[in-house]
Structures are given as C-alpha cells and as structure tokens.
Amino acid sequence: MTQANTISETGKASIAQGARGSFGSLATLALVAGALAWSWTPADMGRWTYLFTDSANMAEYASGFLRPDFAEWRIYLHEMIVTVQIAIWGTFLAVVLSVPFGILSAENMAPAWVYHPARRLMDFFRAIHEVVFAVLFVVAVGLGPFAGVMALFVHTTGILAKLFSEAVEAIDPRPVEAIRTTGASRLQQVIYGVIPQVLPLWISFSLYRLESNVRSATVLGVIGAGGIGQILFESIRGFYYPQASAMLIIVVLTVSLMDLLSQFLRKRVI
C-alpha cells in the first residue's frame, strides 16, 4: 500500500511539474506576443507594404551599382587592408581587457561589491555604439585609423566581457573546488580550474567579434575613422555608384574570407 501511495504521489508531482512547465511556456509566448504588439506602431511596422508598392524605387537606385568600376582597385584594396588592420587591433585590445573583466563580471567568481560595478561598466561600454565612441576619439586624437581602433576596442570590450562572464558562470565548479582543496590561491584556481574550461568558447567569441569588427570598421570610416568606409561614403555621397559598387564587392569578399578563416581557426582550436 505504501509503495502504491509513493507511485501515486510521484505521478501527481510529475503532472504538477508538467503543468507548471506548460504554464511557463504559455506565459513566455504571451510575453513575446505582448512585446511585439506593443512595439508594432512605434516601430512603424505598418509600412511593410511599401516594400512591394515602392519596390521600383529600390530597383532604380540599385541599378546604379550594376556596373562596378575597378579602375582604382589598388586604392580600394589598400584601404580595405587598413580596415582589416583596424579591426585586428581593436579586437586584440578588447580581448586583452575582456579576460580580467569577464572574470570580474562573473557572479560565481567575484564578490558583489566587485561584480556589480564591473558589470555596469561593461554595460556602459556595450550600450554606446562604436560610431559615438569614434566621434569622441576623432575629437580627441584627430581623423584617422587610430580613432577607429579605440572605438572598436571600447565597444567590443563591453560585448566580449559579457560573453566571457557568461561562459565563466556556466563552468563545472567541481574542478575549481578540487584545486581549492589543495590550498591553491584564487588566481591559481582561475588559471587552472576556470580558463581551461572556457578557453575554447572565449576563442570562438573573439574570432566572431573580429569578423564583425571588419564590418564595423567599414562603417566607422564614414565619420573619418580611416579605412575603406571613408572613400566609400564619399563615393556614394558624390553619386559615383560604379566606384562604390566596386568597393562594396571588395568589402563583401573580405568579410567572406574572414568568415572562412574564422571557421578554420575555430575548428583547429575547438
């Protein structure tokens, strides 16, 4: 009789747990639907029909890019290389700073009085767009690639530190506890217990941000932060669409090559 009661109670608990899970799923769906409905009018989503009714305008504008002019391809390629170099340095500096901040921003690694200020500082870095930082650094150091490097460095630090901290918070605590029992210091626990677990993810995140920063560095050229974006913007503003088309093709090819390189490196590491 006791065994039957136990089985019955177990069945009831499973049903209750399933009901709570179903309610949670429905509540999540309702929250998402409510957020979409709330955002519909402010986001001007009612104009989606213009994509079809005014598609001729887009086609007419795009037709100017159908005849790319590669006469100055050496200049375009040189500026594209500068853009990649900006992305490399911005990402490298961000990775270096994101390692300590990623650990300090992890709730399971730092006390509350360290964790919260570090997290809020990274929120600040991440919340402000690279273009805003680029404008600030252009004012400080003048026009050129260095302003772009610093803008990418600050913004990417905020992004990578968050990703790094979330990877740290998801680690298996048992290796860290085992190392702690040997009398290891806090730094040794991080080096030998935390970093080996998160290093593949950290490398993957860093490579992805390098790829993204190549695109971002192109945009930063619009406000004078160097690279191909600067001459691309000038070409579009001057209605030199064939030249702009050639530069866009070079940008797309470069981003594709960076993607292939990132995939290769991720496979070698992970």
Side-chain angles (χ1 to χ4, degrees), residues 75-94 144-153 156 209-211 213-218 220 225-229 254-255 258 261:
I75 296 175
Y76 305 155
L77 184 60
H78 174 266
E79 294 299 326
M80 189 69 243
I81 292 172
V82 171
T83 299
V84 173
Q85 292 167 334
I86 292 171
I88 289 172
W89 266 105
T91 306
F92 171 75
L93 294 174
F146 184 65
V149 169
M150 296 306 296
L152 290 178
F153 161 49
T156 304
R209 282 309 307 177
L210 174 61
E211 176 192 335
N213 281 344
V214 172
R215 297 189 294 268
S216 298
T218 302
L220 295 182
I228 198 170
T254 302
V255 171
M258 292 296 298
L261 178 61

Short mmCIF file of all heavy atoms in Angstrom, two decimals, residues 75-94 144-153 156 209-211 213-218 220 225-229 254-255 258 261:
data_model
loop_
_atom_site.label_atom_id
_atom_site.label_comp_id
_atom_site.label_asym_id
_atom_site.label_seq_id
_atom_site.Cartn_x
_atom_site.Cartn_y
_atom_site.Cartn_z
N ILE A 75 43.83 51.33 -54.83
CA ILE A 75 43.48 52.22 -53.70
C ILE A 75 42.43 51.54 -52.82
O ILE A 75 42.52 51.55 -51.58
CB ILE A 75 42.95 53.57 -54.22
CG1 ILE A 75 44.06 54.30 -54.98
CG2 ILE A 75 42.42 54.42 -53.08
CD1 ILE A 75 43.60 55.59 -55.64
N TYR A 76 41.41 50.94 -53.45
CA TYR A 76 40.35 50.28 -52.69
C TYR A 76 40.91 49.14 -51.85
O TYR A 76 40.55 48.98 -50.67
CB TYR A 76 39.27 49.75 -53.62
CG TYR A 76 38.67 50.76 -54.57
CD1 TYR A 76 38.10 50.37 -55.78
CD2 TYR A 76 38.68 52.11 -54.26
CE1 TYR A 76 37.55 51.30 -56.64
CE2 TYR A 76 38.15 53.05 -55.13
CZ TYR A 76 37.58 52.64 -56.33
OH TYR A 76 37.05 53.56 -57.20
N LEU A 77 41.80 48.36 -52.45
CA LEU A 77 42.37 47.22 -51.73
C LEU A 77 43.24 47.69 -50.56
O LEU A 77 43.20 47.10 -49.47
CB LEU A 77 43.20 46.37 -52.69
CG LEU A 77 43.79 45.08 -52.11
CD1 LEU A 77 42.68 44.16 -51.61
CD2 LEU A 77 44.64 44.36 -53.16
N HIS A 78 44.00 48.74 -50.79
CA HIS A 78 44.84 49.28 -49.70
C HIS A 78 43.97 49.74 -48.54
O HIS A 78 44.27 49.45 -47.37
CB HIS A 78 45.68 50.45 -50.23
CG HIS A 78 46.46 51.14 -49.15
ND1 HIS A 78 45.98 52.27 -48.49
CD2 HIS A 78 47.68 50.87 -48.60
CE1 HIS A 78 46.86 52.66 -47.60
NE2 HIS A 78 47.89 51.84 -47.64
N GLU A 79 42.89 50.46 -48.84
CA GLU A 79 42.01 50.96 -47.78
C GLU A 79 41.28 49.81 -47.08
O GLU A 79 41.01 49.87 -45.88
CB GLU A 79 41.00 51.96 -48.35
CG GLU A 79 41.61 53.25 -48.86
CD GLU A 79 42.34 54.01 -47.77
OE1 GLU A 79 41.88 53.95 -46.61
OE2 GLU A 79 43.36 54.65 -48.06
N MET A 80 40.98 48.74 -47.83
CA MET A 80 40.33 47.58 -47.21
C MET A 80 41.30 46.90 -46.25
O MET A 80 40.90 46.43 -45.18
CB MET A 80 39.89 46.60 -48.31
CG MET A 80 39.01 45.46 -47.80
SD MET A 80 37.37 46.00 -47.27
CE MET A 80 37.44 45.57 -45.52
N ILE A 81 42.56 46.84 -46.62
CA ILE A 81 43.57 46.26 -45.74
C ILE A 81 43.69 47.09 -44.46
O ILE A 81 43.79 46.54 -43.35
CB ILE A 81 44.92 46.14 -46.46
CG1 ILE A 81 44.84 45.09 -47.58
CG2 ILE A 81 46.04 45.78 -45.48
CD1 ILE A 81 46.06 45.04 -48.47
N VAL A 82 43.65 48.41 -44.60
CA VAL A 82 43.67 49.28 -43.42
C VAL A 82 42.46 49.00 -42.53
O VAL A 82 42.58 48.95 -41.29
CB VAL A 82 43.70 50.76 -43.85
CG1 VAL A 82 43.51 51.67 -42.63
CG2 VAL A 82 45.00 51.09 -44.55
N THR A 83 41.30 48.78 -43.14
CA THR A 83 40.10 48.47 -42.37
C THR A 83 40.27 47.18 -41.58
O THR A 83 39.90 47.11 -40.40
CB THR A 83 38.89 48.34 -43.32
OG1 THR A 83 38.69 49.59 -44.00
CG2 THR A 83 37.63 47.99 -42.56
N VAL A 84 40.85 46.17 -42.22
CA VAL A 84 41.09 44.90 -41.51
C VAL A 84 42.09 45.10 -40.37
O VAL A 84 41.93 44.55 -39.28
CB VAL A 84 41.60 43.83 -42.50
CG1 VAL A 84 42.03 42.56 -41.76
CG2 VAL A 84 40.53 43.50 -43.53
N GLN A 85 43.10 45.92 -40.61
CA GLN A 85 44.09 46.18 -39.57
C GLN A 85 43.47 46.91 -38.38
O GLN A 85 43.82 46.63 -37.22
CB GLN A 85 45.26 46.99 -40.15
CG GLN A 85 46.09 46.19 -41.14
CD GLN A 85 47.04 47.04 -41.96
OE1 GLN A 85 46.80 48.24 -42.17
NE2 GLN A 85 48.12 46.45 -42.45
N ILE A 86 42.55 47.82 -38.65
CA ILE A 86 41.82 48.50 -37.57
C ILE A 86 41.05 47.47 -36.75
O ILE A 86 41.06 47.49 -35.51
CB ILE A 86 40.86 49.55 -38.16
CG1 ILE A 86 41.64 50.70 -38.78
CG2 ILE A 86 39.91 50.08 -37.08
CD1 ILE A 86 40.77 51.68 -39.57
N ALA A 87 40.37 46.55 -37.44
CA ALA A 87 39.57 45.53 -36.76
C ALA A 87 40.46 44.61 -35.93
O ALA A 87 40.09 44.22 -34.81
CB ALA A 87 38.76 44.73 -37.78
N ILE A 88 41.63 44.25 -36.46
CA ILE A 88 42.53 43.35 -35.74
C ILE A 88 42.99 43.98 -34.43
O ILE A 88 42.93 43.36 -33.36
CB ILE A 88 43.73 42.97 -36.62
CG1 ILE A 88 43.28 42.04 -37.75
CG2 ILE A 88 44.84 42.32 -35.79
CD1 ILE A 88 44.37 41.75 -38.79
N TRP A 89 43.43 45.23 -34.50
CA TRP A 89 43.93 45.88 -33.29
C TRP A 89 42.81 46.17 -32.30
O TRP A 89 42.98 45.99 -31.08
CB TRP A 89 44.68 47.17 -33.64
CG TRP A 89 46.14 46.95 -33.78
CD1 TRP A 89 46.86 46.88 -34.93
CD2 TRP A 89 47.07 46.71 -32.73
NE1 TRP A 89 48.18 46.63 -34.66
CE2 TRP A 89 48.34 46.51 -33.31
CE3 TRP A 89 46.96 46.63 -31.34
CZ2 TRP A 89 49.48 46.26 -32.55
CZ3 TRP A 89 48.10 46.37 -30.58
CH2 TRP A 89 49.33 46.20 -31.19
N GLY A 90 41.66 46.60 -32.80
CA GLY A 90 40.53 46.86 -31.89
C GLY A 90 40.09 45.61 -31.17
O GLY A 90 39.81 45.62 -29.97
N THR A 91 40.07 44.48 -31.91
CA THR A 91 39.65 43.22 -31.30
C THR A 91 40.71 42.70 -30.33
O THR A 91 40.37 42.22 -29.24
CB THR A 91 39.39 42.17 -32.40
OG1 THR A 91 38.45 42.69 -33.34
CG2 THR A 91 38.83 40.90 -31.79
N PHE A 92 41.98 42.80 -30.70
CA PHE A 92 43.05 42.30 -29.83
C PHE A 92 43.05 43.04 -28.49
O PHE A 92 43.10 42.41 -27.42
CB PHE A 92 44.40 42.48 -30.52
CG PHE A 92 45.58 42.22 -29.61
CD1 PHE A 92 45.91 40.92 -29.26
CD2 PHE A 92 46.32 43.27 -29.10
CE1 PHE A 92 46.98 40.67 -28.42
CE2 PHE A 92 47.39 43.03 -28.25
CZ PHE A 92 47.72 41.73 -27.90
N LEU A 93 42.98 44.35 -28.53
CA LEU A 93 42.96 45.12 -27.28
C LEU A 93 41.73 44.78 -26.44
O LEU A 93 41.80 44.69 -25.21
CB LEU A 93 43.00 46.62 -27.59
CG LEU A 93 44.28 47.15 -28.24
CD1 LEU A 93 44.12 48.61 -28.62
CD2 LEU A 93 45.47 46.96 -27.31
N ALA A 94 40.59 44.57 -27.12
CA ALA A 94 39.37 44.22 -26.40
C ALA A 94 39.49 42.86 -25.73
O ALA A 94 39.04 42.68 -24.59
CB ALA A 94 38.18 44.24 -27.36
N GLY A 144 41.48 59.57 -38.62
CA GLY A 144 42.43 58.51 -38.96
C GLY A 144 42.08 57.19 -38.30
O GLY A 144 41.16 57.09 -37.49
N PRO A 145 42.83 56.15 -38.65
CA PRO A 145 42.52 54.80 -38.18
C PRO A 145 42.58 54.62 -36.67
O PRO A 145 41.86 53.79 -36.11
CB PRO A 145 43.59 53.94 -38.87
CG PRO A 145 44.00 54.72 -40.07
CD PRO A 145 43.90 56.15 -39.65
N PHE A 146 43.45 55.37 -35.97
CA PHE A 146 43.59 55.16 -34.52
C PHE A 146 42.28 55.42 -33.78
O PHE A 146 41.96 54.71 -32.82
CB PHE A 146 44.70 56.05 -33.95
CG PHE A 146 44.96 55.81 -32.49
CD1 PHE A 146 45.46 54.59 -32.06
CD2 PHE A 146 44.68 56.79 -31.56
CE1 PHE A 146 45.69 54.36 -30.71
CE2 PHE A 146 44.91 56.57 -30.21
CZ PHE A 146 45.42 55.36 -29.78
N ALA A 147 41.53 56.41 -34.24
CA ALA A 147 40.23 56.67 -33.62
C ALA A 147 39.31 55.47 -33.80
O ALA A 147 38.55 55.11 -32.89
CB ALA A 147 39.60 57.93 -34.24
N GLY A 148 39.37 54.84 -34.97
CA GLY A 148 38.57 53.65 -35.21
C GLY A 148 38.99 52.49 -34.33
O GLY A 148 38.15 51.75 -33.82
N VAL A 149 40.30 52.32 -34.15
CA VAL A 149 40.80 51.25 -33.28
C VAL A 149 40.27 51.42 -31.86
O VAL A 149 39.77 50.48 -31.23
CB VAL A 149 42.35 51.24 -33.27
CG1 VAL A 149 42.88 50.32 -32.17
CG2 VAL A 149 42.89 50.81 -34.62
N MET A 150 40.35 52.64 -31.34
CA MET A 150 39.91 52.88 -29.97
C MET A 150 38.41 52.70 -29.81
O MET A 150 37.93 52.20 -28.79
CB MET A 150 40.34 54.29 -29.53
CG MET A 150 41.84 54.50 -29.48
SD MET A 150 42.69 53.26 -28.47
CE MET A 150 41.98 53.60 -26.85
N ALA A 151 37.65 53.13 -30.82
CA ALA A 151 36.20 52.97 -30.76
C ALA A 151 35.81 51.49 -30.72
O ALA A 151 34.97 51.06 -29.91
CB ALA A 151 35.54 53.67 -31.95
N LEU A 152 36.43 50.69 -31.59
CA LEU A 152 36.15 49.26 -31.59
C LEU A 152 36.62 48.61 -30.30
O LEU A 152 35.96 47.71 -29.76
CB LEU A 152 36.83 48.59 -32.79
CG LEU A 152 36.26 48.90 -34.17
CD1 LEU A 152 37.08 48.20 -35.24
CD2 LEU A 152 34.81 48.47 -34.27
N PHE A 153 37.76 49.05 -29.80
CA PHE A 153 38.32 48.50 -28.57
C PHE A 153 37.35 48.65 -27.40
O PHE A 153 37.03 47.69 -26.70
CB PHE A 153 39.65 49.20 -28.29
CG PHE A 153 40.14 49.10 -26.87
CD1 PHE A 153 40.17 47.88 -26.21
CD2 PHE A 153 40.57 50.24 -26.21
CE1 PHE A 153 40.63 47.80 -24.90
CE2 PHE A 153 41.03 50.16 -24.91
CZ PHE A 153 41.05 48.94 -24.25
N THR A 156 33.83 46.75 -28.16
CA THR A 156 33.99 45.30 -28.19
C THR A 156 34.34 44.75 -26.82
O THR A 156 33.96 43.62 -26.48
CB THR A 156 35.08 44.91 -29.21
OG1 THR A 156 34.75 45.45 -30.49
CG2 THR A 156 35.20 43.40 -29.34
N ARG A 209 33.86 38.16 -33.10
CA ARG A 209 33.90 39.62 -32.99
C ARG A 209 34.91 40.22 -33.96
O ARG A 209 34.71 41.32 -34.46
CB ARG A 209 34.25 40.03 -31.56
CG ARG A 209 33.11 39.93 -30.58
CD ARG A 209 31.85 40.60 -31.04
NE ARG A 209 32.06 42.00 -31.45
CZ ARG A 209 31.11 42.78 -31.95
NH1 ARG A 209 29.89 42.29 -32.15
NH2 ARG A 209 31.36 44.02 -32.27
N LEU A 210 36.01 39.52 -34.24
CA LEU A 210 36.95 40.02 -35.24
C LEU A 210 36.25 40.13 -36.59
O LEU A 210 36.40 41.14 -37.29
CB LEU A 210 38.16 39.08 -35.34
CG LEU A 210 39.15 39.40 -36.45
CD1 LEU A 210 39.75 40.79 -36.27
CD2 LEU A 210 40.25 38.34 -36.50
N GLU A 211 35.51 39.10 -36.95
CA GLU A 211 34.76 39.13 -38.21
C GLU A 211 33.76 40.28 -38.21
O GLU A 211 33.62 41.01 -39.20
CB GLU A 211 34.05 37.79 -38.39
CG GLU A 211 33.16 37.72 -39.62
CD GLU A 211 32.27 36.49 -39.58
OE1 GLU A 211 32.64 35.50 -38.91
OE2 GLU A 211 31.21 36.53 -40.22
N ASN A 213 33.88 43.01 -36.44
CA ASN A 213 34.56 44.30 -36.38
C ASN A 213 35.09 44.74 -37.73
O ASN A 213 35.32 45.95 -37.95
CB ASN A 213 35.71 44.26 -35.36
CG ASN A 213 35.19 44.39 -33.94
OD1 ASN A 213 34.05 44.80 -33.71
ND2 ASN A 213 36.02 44.03 -32.98
N VAL A 214 35.33 43.81 -38.65
CA VAL A 214 35.70 44.21 -40.01
C VAL A 214 34.56 45.01 -40.63
O VAL A 214 34.77 46.04 -41.28
CB VAL A 214 36.05 42.98 -40.87
CG1 VAL A 214 36.24 43.38 -42.33
CG2 VAL A 214 37.32 42.31 -40.35
N ARG A 215 33.35 44.53 -40.44
CA ARG A 215 32.18 45.28 -40.94
C ARG A 215 32.02 46.60 -40.21
O ARG A 215 31.74 47.64 -40.81
CB ARG A 215 30.92 44.42 -40.79
CG ARG A 215 30.92 43.14 -41.59
CD ARG A 215 29.56 42.47 -41.57
NE ARG A 215 29.22 42.00 -40.24
CZ ARG A 215 29.48 40.78 -39.79
NH1 ARG A 215 30.13 39.91 -40.58
NH2 ARG A 215 29.14 40.41 -38.58
N SER A 216 32.18 46.56 -38.88
CA SER A 216 32.03 47.78 -38.09
C SER A 216 33.08 48.82 -38.46
O SER A 216 32.79 50.02 -38.52
CB SER A 216 32.11 47.46 -36.60
OG SER A 216 31.08 46.58 -36.21
N ALA A 217 34.31 48.38 -38.71
CA ALA A 217 35.37 49.31 -39.09
C ALA A 217 35.06 49.99 -40.41
O ALA A 217 35.44 51.15 -40.63
CB ALA A 217 36.71 48.58 -39.16
N THR A 218 34.36 49.28 -41.30
CA THR A 218 33.95 49.89 -42.56
C THR A 218 32.99 51.05 -42.32
O THR A 218 33.10 52.11 -42.94
CB THR A 218 33.26 48.84 -43.46
OG1 THR A 218 34.18 47.76 -43.68
CG2 THR A 218 32.85 49.43 -44.79
N LEU A 220 32.78 52.82 -39.55
CA LEU A 220 33.46 53.91 -38.83
C LEU A 220 34.18 54.86 -39.78
O LEU A 220 34.40 56.02 -39.45
CB LEU A 220 34.45 53.33 -37.83
CG LEU A 220 33.85 52.51 -36.68
CD1 LEU A 220 34.95 52.05 -35.74
CD2 LEU A 220 32.81 53.31 -35.92
N ALA A 225 37.12 57.79 -39.46
CA ALA A 225 38.00 56.92 -38.67
C ALA A 225 38.85 56.01 -39.53
O ALA A 225 39.30 54.96 -39.09
CB ALA A 225 37.16 56.09 -37.69
N GLY A 226 39.08 56.38 -40.79
CA GLY A 226 40.00 55.65 -41.65
C GLY A 226 39.40 54.44 -42.32
O GLY A 226 38.27 54.04 -42.05
N GLY A 227 40.16 53.87 -43.24
CA GLY A 227 39.73 52.66 -43.92
C GLY A 227 38.86 52.93 -45.13
O GLY A 227 38.64 54.08 -45.55
N ILE A 228 38.35 51.85 -45.71
CA ILE A 228 37.61 51.95 -46.96
C ILE A 228 36.26 52.64 -46.79
O ILE A 228 35.70 53.18 -47.74
CB ILE A 228 37.41 50.54 -47.57
CG1 ILE A 228 37.04 50.64 -49.05
CG2 ILE A 228 36.35 49.76 -46.78
CD1 ILE A 228 37.06 49.30 -49.77
N GLY A 229 35.74 52.65 -45.58
CA GLY A 229 34.45 53.29 -45.35
C GLY A 229 34.46 54.77 -45.67
O GLY A 229 33.45 55.32 -46.11
N THR A 254 36.06 40.40 -48.66
CA THR A 254 36.92 40.39 -47.48
C THR A 254 36.22 39.78 -46.29
O THR A 254 36.79 38.97 -45.55
CB THR A 254 37.37 41.82 -47.14
OG1 THR A 254 38.05 42.39 -48.27
CG2 THR A 254 38.30 41.83 -45.94
N VAL A 255 34.96 40.17 -46.08
CA VAL A 255 34.19 39.61 -44.96
C VAL A 255 34.01 38.10 -45.14
O VAL A 255 34.10 37.33 -44.17
CB VAL A 255 32.83 40.32 -44.83
CG1 VAL A 255 31.93 39.61 -43.82
CG2 VAL A 255 33.02 41.77 -44.41
N MET A 258 37.24 36.47 -44.19
CA MET A 258 37.38 36.48 -42.73
C MET A 258 36.52 35.41 -42.10
O MET A 258 36.91 34.76 -41.13
CB MET A 258 37.01 37.85 -42.18
CG MET A 258 37.98 38.96 -42.57
SD MET A 258 39.64 38.74 -41.91
CE MET A 258 39.33 38.80 -40.15
N LEU A 261 38.25 32.09 -42.65
CA LEU A 261 39.41 32.00 -41.77
C LEU A 261 38.98 31.72 -40.33
O LEU A 261 39.59 30.90 -39.63
CB LEU A 261 40.22 33.29 -41.84
CG LEU A 261 41.45 33.37 -40.94
CD1 LEU A 261 42.45 32.28 -41.30
CD2 LEU A 261 42.10 34.76 -41.04
#
